[in-house]
Amino acid sequence: MHVIVATDGSRQSLAAAKQLKAFADPAKITEISVVAVIRPLASVAFADDLSEGKLDGSFRDAAQSAVDTIAAVYDGWGPQVNKRIRSGSAANEIIKAARQYDAGLVVVAAGGRGLSDTVLLGSTAQRVQHSAPCPVLVVRPAPRAPRTSRTRTKS
């Protein structure tokens, strides 16, 4: 089975890649394609939270760094790993990759991007889930610990 693992450069996409490795049988996965999508004419650069600010280059450099980081999760695990950078709408390109490579599973992260957590929670993941030609594993962010309120104590 060929698995598509999508990354947007977020720590959540790294968590999604690790989640696949935590439960999947590497003997049943023949190939993994780690896919990053660069949006042409984007006003915001490819957000690479994984390189920890080491890059000052292009969107493609940031996407390549993210793909390299995710691919490294599978080093020595078993399946062949391909690194792919595509250009276009993230959801559309992930779906196209799933069709092109006859994927048996797509792994995507939901949320994990600050304000977009509340405004567009998992919009790419949602579109992929509804349109992919195969099952989709959507890995949601770990729940945040509730804030504790400060209480005054009387002395």
Side-chain angles (χ1 to χ4, degrees):
M1 168 174 55
H2 192 136
V3 177
I4 304 293
V5 178
T7 181
D8 59 0
S10 68
R11 294 190 191 287
Q12 182 59 26
S13 67
L14 180 59
K18 290 177 179 178
Q19 185 69 31
L20 171 68
K21 190 174 175 184
F23 79 84
D25 180 354
K28 294 185 180 182
I29 299 173
T30 56
E31 207 168 343
I32 295 172
S33 288
V34 179
V35 176
V37 180
I38 301 169
R39 295 181 57 202
L41 306 175
S43 59
V44 177
F46 184 91
D48 181 15
D49 297 338
L50 303 176
S51 68
E52 299 176 359
K54 296 176 199 164
L55 295 174
D56 291 326
S58 69
F59 291 4
R60 181 168 278 287
D61 290 343
Q64 186 64 56
S65 175
V67 166
D68 291 343
T69 300
I70 299 299
V73 167
Y74 305 111
D75 283 350
W77 192 49
Q80 175 185 333
V81 178
N82 304 303
K83 301 173 187 179
R84 306 183 190 281
I85 298 175
R86 300 174 71 106
S87 180
S89 158
N92 290 343
E93 290 303 316
I94 293 165
I95 293 163
K96 283 181 190 176
R99 287 188 181 117
Q100 180 179 355
Y101 305 124
D102 194 25
L105 178 68
V106 174
V107 178
V108 294
R113 287 253 178 246
L115 179 61
S116 67
D117 280 351
T118 54
V119 177
L120 298 171
L121 178 62
S123 61
T124 297
Q126 237 177 10
R127 283 181 269 158
V128 171
Q129 186 177 16
H130 289 291
S131 301
C134 60
V136 178
L137 171 63
V138 178
V139 180
R140 297 183 49 83
R144 292 183 180 155
R147 288 186 173 183
T148 58
S149 60
R150 294 183 184 183
T151 57
R152 290 186 176 178
T153 56
K154 293 185 179 183
S155 328

